[in-house]
Amino acid sequence: MWKFIVRRLLIALPQILLLSVLVFLMAQMMPGDALSGLIDPNIDPAAIEAQRERLGLNDPWHIQYVDWITGVVTEGDLGRSFRYKMDVTEIIGQRLTNTFWLSLVTLIFTYLIAIPLGITSGRYNDTFRDQMITGYTYVGFATPLFIFALVALWILGFQFGWFPTGGSVSPGLTPGTFEYFLSRLHHLILPALSMALITTVNTVQYLRSEIIDTKQKDFIITARAKGASESRVYNRHILRNSLLPIAAFFGFEITGLIGGTIFVETIYSYPGMGQLFVESINLRDYSVVTAVVLLLGIASILGALLSDIILSLVDPRIRIK
Amino acid sequence: MDNKLLEIKNLKTSFRIKDDYYAAVDDVTLTVNKNEVLAIVGESGSGKSALAFSIMRLHNRAKIEGEVLFKENNIVELSPSKMNKLRGNDMAMIFQDPLTALNPLMTIEDQIGEALFLHNKKMSPKERRNKVIDLLNQVGIPRPDYTCDQFPHELSGGMRQRVMIAIAISNNPELLIADEPTTALDVTIQAQILDLIRDLKENMNAGIVLITHDLGVVAEMADRVAVMYAGEIVEIADVHTLFENPRHPYTRSLLNSVPSDGHEGKLHVIQGIVPSLKHLPRQGCRFSARMPWMDESVHEENPVLHEIAPGHHVRCTCHEHFYFPKESKEVQNDGIS
Ligand SMILES: Nc1ncnc2c1ncn2[C@@H]1O[C@H](COP(=O)(O)OP(=O)(O)O)[C@@H](O)[C@H]1O
Ligand code: SF4
Ligand SMILES: [Mg+2]
């Protein structure tokens, strides 16, 4: 198992490296560079050119890349935002935490909804209950996330006023207090729920088909032939074996969440990475865009890595090797 | 009379295809005596597995009619909880494909242990493990201690079939059904598994229903033989009678498909395959389509089993007129699949 995990980690490293090169090249292709946004346009072009030379901006791209990646890794230097006039790292810090909590609560909602639905749907497939659940997944599949989020925001946020319609916490609360925590949770529920109702769809469908599939396996007949009751066959053999791929799916959920946060945070004006990403694109704050793409890219790679590691922990067919 | 272990009466097992039910086992009447080996032979698709599954009541969705009497119970009507007490305890089964028959996520110990646990909740985990090791020893697994903690994918097909056998014999069943236990294995492994089953036959006090293609195995191990074709039993007799004096054309064809002495060097094999459920003829003799050379007049209209000698039953009386076609091909040993 350790061998597998180590090998898997060794695969993730070049992936991240490649990602960083791509992100770097993308940043290079964007109009302007670190100086054009930061410097007063009235300064003598010759002086700017001298600065360029001094900062290494005229070096070949691979040298610049090495400089850049060294800065990122050793000092967490992701450049400066011309809009905020702050280091990108500083801007991202709080946002990353916000997105982390949003993703976590979304994941919890997703599993709280998806697992019971998937289990019911798979166990009682082709009954009325199953048809209702499958119907929901079709609707969820066909509805774009932003439409759903907008409707939820409009009805539950603006019309009923049950939930805040923006921000991550009410102003004036002291961090660390219980009120602060509750307020954060309150701000999270609606965006997380909107996102969860869509992300559950995959998990429900996946779990359902996994259960239906497992029901027909030969080892289920073996379990019955031993004299196991239907409920035991179901819990010990069908369910356990069907949940395994779901566990492995977990890491990939993270990739899905990243896409989701971009919409949901924008709609709910939730100050997270997704919102920052959209804003920065609109304002052409490229150093921020680059940093966000890099971090989100790393998050997806780590998500896939996590999936494989979980799988190797729970599946003996991998665990042993 | 009280020598009977299992008594099947007019059993009919039907599967639903679209809106109709089609019988895969049709009006089967059969007895298995205590401590005897009853072999069931027939081509693929004859309904052998459907019959075995009906005895264990393992079909998921099937209509079962008739009676299966076992230990004063009619299995067809038994409540699920009583059925669970019989299964794995008084009656057990070994399946055709050991590669898929074990749960990939459970250790061998847990899988055999489950069979023990289900019928003896009082056993302590320690006792159970010892019993599992004991069983693994019995089925000839070299390092039982080690294998206990292994998972199915770490074992070869032959080893997995041994584990399946260990599960089946774990509670000393009175009835053991083996559904083509070697078909999915390599030839050399087949012989080893058969040796094991032969040993078990000597050491267990169980009636065994052995479903097989291998007539050599039948000749060696069976006490009685039932020949199935298209869901029906076409001939049933003790093993000597069946080999010495087969009456039904289908039986004779099956026997002929195995090269042996005394056949003037010629093998007569009836060509064709078992029709699918939907296309089974439900009237007249189901075999007539494969005997086009026979004169229509000899077919019995609704062939039933006739007892032509004590214990020797044959469906249809046509056998008196039966002959193989003159131009019938010489065929190598491939008549049954
Ligand atoms: N669950 C099922 N649903 C529908 N048809 C089935 C099912 N199981 C078996 N059959 C059909 O019943 C017939 C007998 O099958 P089976 O008992 O497996 O034959 P055998 O074991 O002799 O090869 C075949 O035509 C097969 O296709
Ligand atoms: S009844 Fe006719 S078709 Fe059937 S076995 Fe006898 S001779 Fe053949
Ligand atoms: Mg079969």
Side-chain angles (χ1 to χ4, degrees):
Chain A
M1 171 181 69
W2 289 115
K3 246 193 220 158
F4 174 84
I5 292 179
V6 168
R7 208 166 13 156
R8 188 60 189 76
L9 279 168
L10 289 179
I11 296 173
L13 284 178
Q15 281 178 334
I16 292 177
L17 198 69
L18 184 67
L19 173 81
S20 72
V21 172
L22 290 177
V23 168
F24 177 77
L25 291 179
M26 181 194 85
Q28 290 279 295
M29 278 185 277
M30 288 182 183
D33 57 37
L35 283 183
S36 27
L38 294 175
I39 289 177
D40 181 353
N42 300 323
I43 292 181
D44 172 19
I48 297 182
E49 194 47 40
Q51 277 286 357
R52 278 228 155 82
E53 196 57 48
R54 193 178 64 78
L55 289 172
L57 292 177
N58 290 337
D59 291 346
W61 74 268
H62 54 271
I63 300 200
Q64 289 195 44
Y65 168 75
V66 172
D67 285 348
W68 173 74
I69 198 74
T70 317
V72 172
V73 174
T74 55
E75 302 164 33
D77 176 10
L78 289 163
R80 275 180 81 80
S81 153
F82 81 82
R83 174 180 163 226
Y84 291 97
K85 306 279 184 266
M86 276 164 81
D87 280 349
V88 174
T89 324
E90 225 173 298
I91 303 170
I92 285 177
Q94 184 57 41
R95 304 262 185 166
L96 202 57
T97 325
N98 286 345
T99 296
F100 171 78
W101 286 114
L102 176 60
S103 304
L104 188 71
V105 175
T106 304
L107 273 180
I108 294 173
F109 279 151
T110 304
Y111 287 116
L112 280 181
I113 301 168
I115 289 181
L117 290 189
I119 287 176
T120 314
S121 196
R123 178 165 188 176
Y124 305 103
N125 64 312
D126 301 327
T127 61
F128 179 68
R129 269 185 277 185
D130 173 42
Q131 282 158 358
M132 294 294 292
I133 295 169
T134 319
Y136 155 70
T137 64
Y138 287 149
V139 173
F141 188 71
T143 316
L145 171 58
F146 66 89
I147 293 193
F148 190 81
L150 279 174
V151 170
L153 175 68
W154 188 69
I155 296 179
L156 299 176
F158 287 105
Q159 297 300 310
F160 291 124
W162 290 347
F163 294 98
T165 56
S168 66
V169 66
S170 304
L173 295 171
T174 329
T177 61
F178 189 59
E179 280 79 20
Y180 181 85
F181 172 77
L182 276 187
S183 167
R184 289 206 66 150
L185 205 59
H186 198 201
H187 281 77
L188 274 175
I189 286 176
L190 208 47
L193 203 59
S194 326
M195 209 155 41
L197 283 177
I198 303 291
T199 52
T200 42
V201 168
N202 282 327
T203 313
V204 172
Q205 288 180 342
Y206 200 65
L207 188 54
R208 173 180 189 270
S209 65
E210 203 56 46
I211 289 177
I212 293 174
D213 202 48
T214 312
K215 273 203 248 186
Q216 281 150 15
K217 292 273 166 69
D218 283 352
F219 65 81
I220 300 303
I221 299 174
T222 306
R224 286 208 183 94
K226 289 185 206 172
S229 65
E230 274 315 297
S231 67
R232 187 182 168 96
V233 168
Y234 191 77
N235 294 324
R236 288 285 168 130
H237 296 271
I238 299 177
L239 198 55
R240 241 178 87 182
N241 288 57
S242 312
L243 282 174
L244 178 95
I246 294 297
F249 211 56
F250 173 76
F252 293 107
E253 294 277 3
I254 294 178
T255 318
L257 282 178
I258 290 170
T261 51
I262 294 178
F263 289 109
V264 165
E265 293 183 355
T266 306
I267 289 167
Y268 288 94
S269 339
Y270 182 85
M273 297 286 281
Q275 192 209 28
L276 180 67
F277 180 66
V278 174
E279 272 179 18
S280 309
I281 286 187
N282 286 337
L283 298 167
R284 294 174 213 283
D285 194 352
Y286 292 123
S287 43
V288 178
V289 174
T290 310
V292 174
V293 171
L294 183 68
L295 287 178
L296 296 187
I298 290 177
S300 345
I301 292 175
L302 292 183
L305 174 71
L306 195 61
S307 274
D308 285 353
I309 290 182
I310 293 177
L311 193 63
S312 78
L313 291 176
V314 289
D315 190 336
R317 282 162 296 192
I318 298 177
R319 200 189 319 165
I320 299 302
K321 284 183 193 139
Chain B
M1 263 296 128
D2 44 15
N3 195 28
K4 281 179 184 161
L5 175 64
L6 176 75
E7 221 181 334
I8 301 171
K9 290 183 183 161
N10 309 101
L11 179 73
K12 183 168 173 175
T13 301
S14 320
F15 296 115
R16 195 186 170 129
I17 304 175
K18 299 248 168 63
D19 291 327
D20 287 308
Y21 280 96
Y22 295 87
V25 175
D26 209 350
D27 199 25
V28 164
T29 296
L30 197 65
T31 357
V32 182
N33 296 319
K34 286 179 180 155
N35 293 322
E36 83 167 345
V37 176
L38 172 78
I40 301 181
V41 294
E43 285 160 296
S44 270
S46 315
K48 305 180 301 292
S49 297
L51 171 61
F53 274 53
S54 305
I55 299 171
M56 295 281 291
R57 218 172 78 185
L58 286 172
H59 287 298
N60 243 344
R61 280 177 212 173
K63 190 166 82 179
I64 301 187
E65 296 153 278
E67 287 174 65
V68 177
L69 304 175
F70 177 70
K71 298 190 74 172
E72 287 144 31
N73 299 295
N74 178 5
I75 284 177
V76 176
E77 292 168 348
L78 210 58
S79 74
S81 65
K82 282 195 180 143
M83 194 63 226
N84 288 336
K85 289 207 175 78
L86 289 183
R87 271 197 216 115
N89 193 22
D90 302 293
M91 48 171 34
M93 185 157 170
I94 305 165
F95 301 92
Q96 182 169 340
D97 190 355
L99 296 187
T100 55
L102 291 164
N103 188 330
L105 302 187
M106 281 168 79
T107 61
I108 301 304
E109 179 182 359
D110 287 348
Q111 310 211 34
I112 303 176
E114 182 176 35
L116 295 168
F117 169 79
L118 287 168
H119 302 287
N120 185 357
K121 305 262 187 323
K122 285 193 203 104
M123 226 181 217
S124 75
K126 185 95 186 59
E127 287 171 316
R128 204 154 49 229
R129 183 173 170 103
N130 288 337
K131 174 77 185 169
V132 169
I133 290 175
D134 195 40
L135 284 163
L136 288 175
N137 254 325
Q138 269 186 59
V139 296
I141 284 190
R143 287 189 295 164
D145 230 347
Y146 179 71
T147 300
C148 262
D149 300 317
Q150 284 187 301
F151 286 91
H153 71 275
E154 299 171 82
L155 304 179
S156 67
M159 284 297 156
R160 291 192 216 183
Q161 194 62 301
R162 288 174 194 268
V163 171
M164 286 301 295
I165 294 173
I167 291 175
I169 62 170
S170 58
N171 294 304
N172 295 314
E174 290 169 50
L175 176 67
L176 180 66
I177 302 173
D179 186 1
E180 304 194 34
T182 60
T183 310
L185 303 170
D186 293 345
V187 183
T188 46
I189 310 296
Q190 287 190 2
Q192 296 171 7
I193 296 292
L194 282 168
D195 281 343
L196 173 59
I197 295 178
R198 204 168 302 141
D199 281 355
L200 292 178
K201 180 199 157 190
E202 305 299 323
N203 301 327
M204 280 173 63
N205 278 323
I208 298 179
V209 175
L210 178 63
I211 299 175
T212 178
H213 282 147
D214 191 335
L215 291 171
V217 173
V218 173
E220 194 188 346
M221 290 176 57
D223 298 308
R224 286 191 309 130
V225 188
V227 181
M228 258 186 110
Y229 181 78
E232 294 179 329
I233 298 222
V234 293
E235 183 157 7
I236 184 162
D238 68 81
V239 67
H240 301 293
T241 311
L242 195 98
F243 278 90
E244 305 288 309
N245 187 21
R247 296 320 311 158
H248 194 279
Y250 182 61
T251 316
R252 292 168 62 177
S253 168
L254 281 184
L255 290 177
N256 275 349
S257 65
V258 190
S260 65
D261 335 313
H263 279 288
E264 301 105 40
K266 261 204 157 182
L267 298 176
H268 296 281
V269 171
I270 296 173
Q271 303 295 306
I273 53 161
V274 189
S276 75
L277 275 195
K278 257 183 116 154
H279 301 105
L280 273 191
R282 301 285 168 182
Q283 268 184 347
C285 177
R286 298 183 176 193
F287 202 54
S288 58
R290 289 173 70 174
M291 303 176 64
W293 66 89
M294 292 292 291
D295 187 42
E296 290 290 322
S297 64
V298 305
H299 302 318
E300 220 177 306
E301 229 162 71
N302 267 315
V304 290
L305 281 175
H306 302 278
E307 185 159 19
I308 56 166
H312 187 179
H313 300 257
V314 186
R315 195 172 288 271
C316 104
T317 43
C318 60
H319 57 83
E320 286 153 21
H321 317 282
F322 174 74
Y323 57 91
F324 279 107
K326 296 240 161 28
E327 69 285 13
S328 92
K329 297 189 192 121
E330 286 183 45
V331 188
Q332 293 307 309
N333 183 17
D334 63 352
I336 33 178
S337 52

